[in-house]
Amino acid sequence: MKRDSIIFDLDGTLWDSSKQIAKSWNQTLQKKFPDVHKEITQNDVMGIMGMVTEDIARTLFPDLEIERAMAITNTICEEECIHLRKIGGTLYSGLEEVLKTLSLSYPLFIVSNCQCGYIECFLEYHKLERYFKGFLCSGQTGKRKGENIKRLMEQYGLEKSIYIGDTQMDYEAAKQAGIEFLYAAYGFGTISDPVPSILSIKELLNYIQ
């Protein structure tokens, strides 16, 4: 059966907002949580990309009670969206042309483990809404990526999707959903198993078409 849709991860696949997020998180910590003496680096952000909020909280603030760690993480993520709506992130080179071309032949979607509002920051700031038919995130459902891929496919009546992502978690999510996976090797993570890969978003056109 021919593929009937393409589902993307966001961070490390379509854009890199790690520098902007690190700056926003540090500003929020200094302003609202001055007793938390922690400097979050861009590498820290890249290391937690793709995690759900609870996992981010446990990773960034391992010495705090989980309730406080979650409260801080929820706050810095809320402020992050305000920040990103103003400045956006860094799109991978050639992204819009790739999306424009693919959207002529396939419906495009995004599934991410992010909070509500984050995907909208990406779409609205960079004016990419017209290329995507829909999206789903863990902030909307409380579910992890594999379940959300399945839920999105059911919602839109998709039968033969491919998921494109850059981390082991993305690969495992695609396996859980029972769909094809393509590794965005230019992103943040690594994959333990041998899987098909691309070295730039531009290579996606040759792989798909």
Side-chain angles (χ1 to χ4, degrees):
M1 181 186 296
K2 182 183 177 182
R3 298 184 192 100
D4 62 5
S5 53
I6 302 171
I7 308 174
F8 292 92
D9 170 51
L10 180 49
D11 293 308
T13 302
L14 299 176
W15 78 344
D16 178 0
S17 61
S18 57
K19 180 179 179 180
Q20 294 87 341
I21 289 175
K23 180 179 179 180
S24 172
W25 284 3
N26 285 319
Q27 289 175 343
T28 302
L29 285 176
Q30 292 166 11
K31 181 179 179 180
K32 298 192 173 185
F33 305 99
D35 60 313
V36 178
H37 303 293
K38 183 176 182 65
E39 180 78 15
I40 298 173
T41 68
Q42 184 176 356
N43 283 337
D44 290 334
V45 175
M46 293 172 70
I48 55 86
M49 286 291 193
M51 294 183 183
V52 295
T53 304
E54 182 176 346
D55 294 341
I56 293 173
R58 293 184 185 278
T59 301
L60 289 180
F61 309 107
D63 298 328
L64 299 180
E65 294 290 334
I66 186 58
E67 292 79 8
R68 180 142 199 260
M70 282 291 292
I72 294 171
T73 302
N74 284 328
T75 300
I76 63 176
C77 287
E78 289 169 5
E79 294 294 321
E80 160 199 316
C81 283
I82 295 172
H83 189 69
L84 289 176
R85 285 185 186 277
K86 296 177 182 177
I87 65 169
T90 303
L91 301 182
Y92 287 108
S93 178
L95 175 67
E96 184 165 5
E97 188 59 35
V98 169
L99 295 177
K100 180 179 180 180
T101 300
L102 290 176
S103 66
L104 297 176
S105 302
Y106 300 93
L108 308 182
F109 301 90
I110 298 172
V111 172
S112 170
N113 273 342
C114 62
Q115 72 273 26
C116 290
Y118 185 78
I119 296 175
E120 292 91 330
C121 291
F122 163 76
L123 294 174
E124 293 170 10
Y125 182 86
H126 296 286
K127 297 179 172 57
L128 299 173
E129 303 102 314
R130 63 188 179 277
Y131 301 121
F132 291 92
K133 296 295 185 182
F135 59 83
L136 201 59
C137 69
S138 62
Q140 294 171 277
T141 66
K143 304 293 184 181
R144 293 178 182 264
K145 190 170 288 183
E147 288 297 322
N148 282 332
I149 291 173
K150 290 193 286 187
R151 182 175 294 198
L152 181 135
M153 291 180 67
E154 291 171 1
Q155 179 181 346
Y156 288 92
L158 310 177
E159 297 183 357
K160 187 69 173 177
S161 298
I162 180 173
Y163 189 66
I164 302 167
D166 68 305
T167 67
Q168 185 71 27
M169 286 184 289
D170 294 332
Y171 174 49
E172 297 296 337
K175 286 202 298 183
Q176 181 184 353
I179 64 172
E180 182 183 2
F181 177 75
L182 178 64
Y183 171 39
Y186 54 86
F188 301 146
T190 58
I191 308 293
S192 60
D193 296 342
V195 294
S197 64
I198 53 174
L199 297 177
S200 74
I201 192 67
K202 294 177 182 178
E203 290 186 12
L204 182 56
L205 293 178
N206 290 331
Y207 184 87
I208 292 292
Q209 296 183 328

